[in-house]
């Protein structure tokens, strides 16, 4: 089991910056991939950025060049968001793909943190 706790959301003006954090805890062998997804009102949840334990990253086209994902100690992930736009407004969710001590895969979500960008 992996528990994920996000923090860092809030209200910011267009062009501003925010930094989201996600801390993982629980009983697991390792976390292979950590990522951020977002869901705006009336829309489906979408990928924002992911990072593997080896450092490989993926970004949504809409955030490339503005957002940066990072990880430390294999259990925490961060999303640095710059040049924010009103269309970035959404609930941001942390995600983790893990392995337990029996090497079984697991996929876990945080509770989400609201990001609101005003124009």
């Amino acid at each position: 089991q992996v528990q994920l706790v996000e923090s860092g959301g809030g209200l910011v003006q267009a062009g501003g910056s925010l930094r989201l954090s996600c801390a993982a805890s629980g009983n697991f062998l390792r976390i292979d991939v950590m990522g951020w997804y977002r869901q705006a009102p009336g829309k489906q949840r979408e990928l924002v950025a992911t990072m593997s334990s080896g450092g490989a990253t993926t970004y949504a086209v809409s955030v490339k060049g503005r957002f940066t994902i990072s990880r430390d100690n294999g259990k925490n992930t961060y999303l640095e968001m710059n040049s924010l736009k009103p269309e970035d407004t959404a609930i941001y969710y942390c995600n983790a793909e893990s392995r337990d001590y029996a090497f079984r895969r697991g996929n876990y979500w945080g509770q989400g943190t609201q990001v609101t960008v005003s124009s």
Side-chain angles (χ1 to χ4, degrees), residues 76-106:
N76 301 324
T77 185
Y78 308 93
L79 186 68
E80 190 75 37
M81 304 186 293
N82 298 314
S83 302
L84 282 160
K85 305 175 181 179
E87 51 263 44
D88 295 318
T89 295
I91 299 174
Y92 284 69
Y93 296 91
C94 180
N95 176 265
E97 297 176 18
S98 66
R99 296 274 188 175
D100 64 14
Y101 289 96
F103 222 62
R104 292 171 297 197
R105 290 186 179 186

Side-chain angles (χ1 to χ4, degrees), residues 20-62:
L20 305 183
S21 300
C22 175
S25 62
N27 187 27
F28 54 90
L29 175 63
R30 69 178 196 227
I31 296 178
D32 291 332
V33 180
M34 294 194 82
W36 292 93
Y37 292 72
R38 66 187 182 187
Q39 188 166 17
K43 294 189 177 181
Q44 290 189 330
R45 190 173 297 189
E46 64 177 3
L47 178 147
V48 176
T50 66
M51 187 174 224
S52 72
S53 56
T57 58
T58 61
Y59 290 95
V61 171
S62 60

Side-chain angles (χ1 to χ4, degrees), residues 56-69:
T57 58
T58 61
Y59 290 95
V61 171
S62 60
V63 307
K64 221 168 190 178
R66 300 188 297 122
F67 291 10
T68 303
I69 188 171

